[in-house]
Amino acid sequence: GNVDLSNTSTAPATAASITTGTGSILLAQVGGGSLTVTNATTINGNVTLTTTGSGDVSVGDVSAVSGTVSVTSAGAINESGVDAGADLTAGTLGLIAASGIGLTGAVESAATAITASSTTGNVSLANTSVTALTVPTITTGTGDLTLTQSGSGSLTLTTATTIVGHISISVSGGNLQATTARAGGFGKNVTLTTTTSGDISVSDARAIGDTVTLTAAGAINELGADASNDVTGAILNLSAGTGIGA
């Protein structure tokens, strides 16, 4: 069954272990304190974690393998402790923060769909998946965006934007398709990379007045056919293993 908890403490709260079989987990920290979730697991359901008013959310091992994990933080979203294991495991992962995601180190995930946004602050995510990853949106205001995809799954990115900040997207062992990657602010660059194998297909990689770097183990190609610029910047660095615009 479902597990639905609302905590009113103004002090930091820790959930050491919350588990259910068939059902969802909802945990809300509404008193303004921070929330640390060491373990929350559902076999067939969703997990929703929130802080209201103030308070960071720290995650250690939160899993909804066949469902959705949603984390909404009035502060930041961070990894709880430092390890190589996934902090968040889900079919679909949705992250919303006020002051950053992965500020103490990249939040590690195992998901096939991710949306992430922060009002301000850095956003740093490291996903591992042998199947394809889709990222409809990953955005922040003043802060850098860093997303890595490993495990040989491809990455399809629709929108990555900063108002003032760098953008760095990399894929190991898979293709990278980027529709829009726009870095705002002076001296802020866009870097798209595939390593080991994988092409880069791009439609709008933009760092006006700054640098766009595309480094592909395979080829670099236009994503879709149109007359608009696919790459825009004062300095363009393009390096490919098997061709550019072929």
Side-chain angles (χ1 to χ4, degrees):
N2 294 337
V3 178
D4 191 347
L5 300 170
S6 179
N7 189 56
T8 60
S9 174
T10 58
T14 298
S17 180
I18 303 174
T19 62
T20 187
T22 300
S24 294
I25 296 171
L26 298 90
L27 176 57
Q29 170 73 323
V30 298
S34 61
L35 175 63
T36 298
V37 181
T38 305
N39 176 268
T41 302
T42 176
I43 296 172
N44 185 14
N46 304 318
V47 178
T48 302
L49 308 175
T50 61
T51 57
T52 303
S54 62
D56 297 341
V57 178
S58 298
V59 289
D61 181 8
V62 176
S63 178
V65 174
S66 61
T68 298
V69 171
S70 301
V71 183
T72 301
S73 175
I77 300 171
N78 289 312
E79 178 183 31
S80 177
V82 178
D83 57 49
D87 307 305
L88 300 167
T89 302
T92 300
L93 180 60
L95 306 177
I96 301 173
S99 57
I101 300 171
L103 300 183
T104 58
V107 172
E108 294 138 353
S109 61
T112 55
I114 298 174
T115 60
S117 66
S118 186
T119 305
T120 189
N122 295 340
V123 174
S124 182
L125 297 171
N127 191 70
T128 301
S129 176
V130 297
T131 57
L133 170 66
T134 60
V135 179
T137 59
I138 179 170
T139 64
T140 189
T142 299
D144 298 335
L145 292 183
T146 304
L147 172 63
T148 63
Q149 160 73 347
S150 61
S152 76
S154 63
L155 170 58
T156 299
L157 171 70
T158 303
T159 302
T161 61
T162 64
I163 296 174
V164 180
H166 298 286
I167 295 175
S168 176
I169 311 291
S170 65
V171 180
S172 176
N175 296 327
L176 169 57
Q177 292 188 350
T179 302
T180 300
R182 297 181 181 178
F186 176 76
K188 304 303 180 182
N189 306 316
V190 172
T191 303
L192 306 179
T193 307
T194 61
T195 59
T196 308
S197 65
D199 299 338
I200 295 176
S201 301
V202 64
S203 178
D204 182 9
R206 186 182 306 189
I208 295 175
D210 296 304
T211 302
V212 177
T213 300
L214 308 183
T215 305
I220 298 173
N221 291 309
E222 179 182 31
L223 179 60
D226 57 49
S228 301
N229 291 336
D230 303 307
V231 184
T232 305
I235 299 172
L236 306 181
N237 298 318
L238 307 180
S239 175
T242 60
I244 298 173

